[in-house]
Amino acid sequence: MKKKKINKTYLIIFLIVLLIMLLWTLNRCNMYYIVGNYIFDKNYRENFGLADGPTRLNYNLFQLIKYIFTGQIWLFDYILIFGTGLFQVILPGIVSIAGLNFYGKLHTINKTTAYRKKNYANYIANDILLESLKISISVFSAYIAYYLFALYLSGGQLSDYAGRELFLDILGDDFYTKYPYFYYLLDGFVRFFMIPFIYSLYACAISLFANGKKQVFLASNAYYYGLTVVAFGLYMLIGNNAIYLNPTVIMASGAYLDINTILLMSLHMIPIIISYFMIKRHVNHVEL
Amino acid sequence: MKKKIISCSVLILLCLITFTQGINASYHGFAGSAGYSYRKVGDANPKDNHGYLGGIRWQSSDHSGHKEWFVIKNSQGAIRSSEILINRPSSETTYVNVTTTYGYYYYLYASREHLGNPYTYVTGTWQP
């Protein structure tokens, strides 16, 4: 019964992530603006179609959505870039569910199970890794589903100019132009597997010391969001170098020129190091 | 010989005037702050040709090292061009596929891919 409930959590995460990507795609093609105005603004509705044609268009909602959808030139890279854009803000918030899950496990029935294990340190470490892995697989699966959707919608058509930056300093400047479809898998692996894994791990490690789920949620997000705010301020003061102190940049690295991949990733190694020491401290101080 | 040089110079001058007037007639200035969401940076400009290509010359930004996305919309907010990413400000024209209609008015919108800097002031010229 318990196992079923947990599996449901991962399925819900998968569906939520996928749904956000799809809804965000519609936002970028101005769907909500147009549909909202069409429904609520009489003047807008009565003149609809006259913006660039002689005929007034009197559509029902379905026809209107179709009109907006077919009027857009869908490009594979553009769909992937902007459909996933919101995750630069919300991803750590979503994956901190791992910490909440783990906190629940640690403080309920599993607590006694854990203390009975011969090697408590291994048990805790494995459980945290497993929890983080499950969350990141859920998120990455949603990305893969969205990747396939983008491929279907665009027919694989790429924009003429949308160059990317991550990995190019390591794999060569022409890596993106040679293997664009593979590039987006690799980029997606970093953004939707590696990053969720790191911040799930971090949230789980924090749950070992937290007093309550609220504390787990707030503390696990403090690093990502706190550092982002600091980096925003620094960007205004010192300019582009501050992007290496901003954890959100890895989620939208294509916005900048000449990115140093290692430097950008090193910022996300800090939560792993902190997690390692937190887990170590916890297992050393538990009385079995 | 002197006559030939003068007539050649006049001819070149006339060509230059015609050419630059042609550019000025089609391209209009834009200036405005762009955020993560698309924001209007170019005022209503008429489509004055029957072509399928618009053009954008992103010439300056108040920040360096970032790329900028552009898109053309009609007055009712419907997208009428490909979304186009320009790497850096320059005087070169980036051409964009458009579904704009001759004689109607369009707007230019700009957007940043990363939320890092909420507003970036961009300027340049464009044609729908």
Side-chain angles (χ1 to χ4, degrees):
Chain A
M1 189 67 191
K2 182 79 185 166
K3 199 179 174 188
K4 260 187 183 174
K5 196 181 170 190
I6 290 170
N7 285 343
K8 214 188 227 176
T9 311
Y10 305 120
L11 182 67
I12 289 169
I13 290 174
F14 167 84
L15 291 173
I16 287 175
V17 170
L18 185 59
L19 190 69
I20 291 171
M21 288 174 181
L22 295 173
L23 292 177
W24 206 241
T25 309
L26 297 182
N27 178 50
R28 289 301 290 202
C29 71
N30 234 11
M31 182 73 77
Y32 307 129
Y33 173 84
I34 296 172
V35 171
N37 275 303
Y38 194 82
I39 293 171
F40 299 112
D41 187 340
K42 195 182 168 198
N43 187 42
Y44 183 92
R45 185 170 56 251
E46 283 176 354
N47 292 308
F48 193 72
L50 299 179
D52 49 9
T55 321
R56 191 172 279 116
L57 301 171
N58 187 19
Y59 286 147
N60 61 34
L61 196 61
F62 178 75
Q63 287 171 318
L64 179 69
I65 291 169
K66 194 181 169 193
Y67 167 81
I68 301 163
F69 224 73
T70 50
Q72 172 93 15
I73 301 165
W74 293 104
L75 302 167
F76 175 70
D77 42 0
Y78 180 78
I79 300 170
L80 281 180
I81 291 164
F82 279 106
T84 60
L86 189 62
F87 288 91
Q88 59 183 288
V89 185
I90 62 169
L91 192 59
I94 291 175
V95 302
S96 59
I97 290 170
L100 304 179
N101 254 352
F102 192 73
Y103 182 88
K105 280 171 84 177
L106 203 68
H107 289 85
T108 53
I109 197 159
N110 283 35
K111 190 174 186 176
T112 44
T113 319
Y115 290 162
R116 274 188 206 139
K117 296 282 170 184
K118 278 183 186 169
N119 195 335
Y120 179 70
N122 267 358
Y123 176 79
I124 287 291
N126 285 342
D127 230 26
I128 287 178
L129 286 177
L130 197 65
E131 183 65 37
S132 312
L133 206 61
K134 281 177 182 174
I135 293 278
S136 28
I137 287 172
S138 310
V139 175
F140 188 58
S141 305
Y143 176 78
I144 294 294
Y146 184 69
Y147 179 97
L148 295 173
F149 164 79
L151 207 57
Y152 171 76
L153 186 64
S154 65
Q157 194 187 343
L158 293 158
S159 60
D160 296 334
Y161 299 96
R164 303 282 86 192
E165 300 295 329
L166 203 66
F167 304 120
L168 298 197
D169 54 337
I170 299 168
L171 300 172
D173 284 340
D174 58 350
F175 179 70
Y176 175 73
T177 44
K178 269 185 177 170
Y179 314 103
Y181 302 105
F182 179 63
Y183 179 89
Y184 284 106
L185 282 178
L186 199 59
D187 182 59
F189 183 79
V190 170
R191 295 193 297 145
F192 292 97
F193 185 86
M194 206 184 91
I195 296 294
F197 182 81
I198 291 170
Y199 288 94
S200 301
L201 184 82
Y202 186 55
C204 290
I206 281 174
S207 71
L208 295 172
F209 292 92
N211 298 315
K213 287 189 173 181
K214 210 181 274 178
Q215 217 175 74
V216 174
F217 185 76
L218 292 175
S220 61
N221 285 300
Y223 174 80
Y224 188 88
Y225 294 110
L227 203 56
T228 299
V229 172
V230 172
F232 277 174
L234 284 173
Y235 183 83
M236 298 297 180
L237 292 173
I238 61 171
N240 249 18
N241 286 334
I243 65 172
Y244 294 107
L245 294 171
N246 190 336
T248 61
V249 171
I250 201 159
M251 298 297 290
S253 57
Y256 299 97
L257 289 162
D258 305 324
I259 288 284
N260 184 321
T261 306
I262 301 292
L263 210 54
L264 203 59
M265 285 186 175
S266 59
L267 189 65
H268 299 279
M269 295 301 117
I270 296 169
I272 296 180
I273 296 166
I274 296 172
S275 304
Y276 172 77
F277 284 111
M278 280 200 290
I279 296 167
K280 205 175 168 194
R281 189 181 155 81
H282 172 79
V283 295
N284 285 342
H285 286 77
V286 163
E287 287 176 20
L288 296 174
Chain B
M1 184 66 183
K2 206 177 175 183
K3 241 183 179 179
K4 262 188 182 173
I5 290 171
I6 290 168
S7 36
C8 268
S9 306
V10 169
L11 194 68
I12 289 168
L13 197 65
L14 279 173
C15 284
L16 272 173
I17 288 167
T18 317
F19 181 67
T20 45
Q21 272 184 341
I23 286 172
N24 289 335
S26 301
Y27 278 76
H28 311 270
F30 71 81
S33 289
Y36 175 73
S37 294
Y38 271 119
R39 287 167 66 95
K40 198 185 287 178
V41 292
D43 284 334
N45 277 322
K47 168 89 167 169
D48 58 5
N49 60 68
H50 292 278
Y52 296 105
L53 285 177
I56 297 158
R57 293 180 196 134
W58 171 34
Q59 285 163 339
S60 81
S61 166
D62 62 350
H63 284 90
S64 60
H66 71 90
K67 304 178 184 180
E68 197 75 33
W69 285 87
F70 292 91
V71 74
I72 294 167
K73 294 182 186 180
N74 71 15
S75 61
Q76 288 174 327
I79 292 173
R80 288 292 176 260
S81 75
S82 305
E83 323 266 350
I84 203 87
L85 178 69
I86 304 183
N87 278 347
R88 48 171 65 84
S90 96
S91 53
E92 278 176 33
T93 306
T94 304
Y95 293 100
V96 53
N97 293 317
V98 292
T99 51
T100 49
T101 312
Y102 175 76
Y104 288 89
Y105 283 76
Y106 295 91
Y107 297 84
L108 182 70
Y109 285 71
S111 157
R112 296 276 311 264
E113 195 176 316
H114 179 232
L115 287 153
N117 178 29
Y119 299 108
T120 308
Y121 193 78
V122 291
T123 64
T125 57
W126 73 292
Q127 70 158 359

